[in-house]
Amino acid sequence: MLKLIDEHFEEAIVVALMAMMSVLIGVQIFMRYVMGASLSWSEELARYFFIWATYIGIAYAVRKDAHIRVTMGTDLLPPGVKVYARVLTHLIFAAFALFVMYQGWFMVEKTFRFGQKSASLGIPMGIIYLAPFTGFLLVVLRLVQAIVIDLRSAGRGAAR
């Protein structure tokens, strides 16, 4: 069970969010062009699903080691050094993610404190502003996981 969660957690959430977003947009199109009356809330909810899917998708990209990076320089390094360069880039990315979480938490806290609500749905905007914090929390967890994997592979390589 844990392996399933480890391998597919972010993927399942992103797929669910994108599916709900697609259904909402499809319903909105049907209501607008077939029924002649649009829904006031569907576009807003679809937008919030998209925001959450984007931030969870960042963690998914880190999990799959598919995030954007320049590897031209590190590809020239010997394998033993390359692992430590990867660890360094993971640490730099983790520092950035922690900074985003730190700043994001202040935004979430302030938004909940002022009681800001969304225009159509009336949901607390703090829930929407939790997306970057949650997404980058998952990024930090996945980066720690990648660092452990890289260091283990470096240890096995050094023993040979």
Side-chain angles (χ1 to χ4, degrees), residues 17-27:
L17 288 168
M18 295 297 281
M20 291 186 292
M21 184 179 75
S22 298
V23 167
L24 276 173
I25 292 170
V27 168

Side-chain angles (χ1 to χ4, degrees), residues 4-156:
L4 184 68
I5 291 171
D6 178 48
E7 292 178 359
H8 300 290
F9 181 71
E10 294 93 344
E11 181 180 12
I13 293 172
V14 169
V15 166
L17 288 168
M18 295 297 281
M20 291 186 292
M21 184 179 75
S22 298
V23 167
L24 276 173
I25 292 170
V27 168
Q28 176 67 358
I29 290 169
F30 175 78
M31 291 299 293
R32 184 176 295 160
Y33 294 109
V34 175
M35 303 302 284
S38 62
L39 302 171
S40 62
W41 53 270
S42 65
E43 289 178 37
E44 183 176 286
L45 187 57
R47 180 174 38 248
Y48 297 152
F49 286 159
F50 181 73
I51 290 168
W52 272 89
T54 300
Y55 285 104
I56 302 297
I58 295 168
Y60 178 64
V62 171
R63 167 70 179 98
K64 292 294 186 180
D65 200 27
H67 50 93
I68 296 173
R69 61 182 179 262
V70 178
T71 59
M72 187 176 81
T74 57
D75 287 345
L76 300 173
L77 297 172
V81 178
K82 191 185 298 188
V83 171
Y84 293 107
R86 279 180 51 86
V87 169
L88 178 62
T89 59
H90 292 325
L91 289 171
I92 292 168
F93 191 4
F96 170 74
L98 288 169
F99 176 75
V100 171
M101 288 173 56
Y102 177 77
Q103 293 298 318
W105 183 253
F106 287 119
M107 180 66 96
V108 168
E109 189 272 326
K110 186 187 305 182
T111 306
F112 275 124
R113 191 166 17 101
F114 290 139
Q116 183 182 358
K117 304 244 186 241
S118 67
S120 296
L121 294 168
I123 62 172
M125 287 302 293
I127 294 171
I128 310 310
Y129 288 124
L130 268 172
F133 180 84
T134 305
F136 279 101
L137 174 64
L138 287 171
V139 164
V140 169
L141 294 174
R142 292 303 188 176
L143 287 169
V144 168
Q145 192 177 36
I147 290 169
V148 168
I149 290 168
D150 285 345
L151 290 176
R152 281 184 184 162
S153 72
R156 282 192 301 269

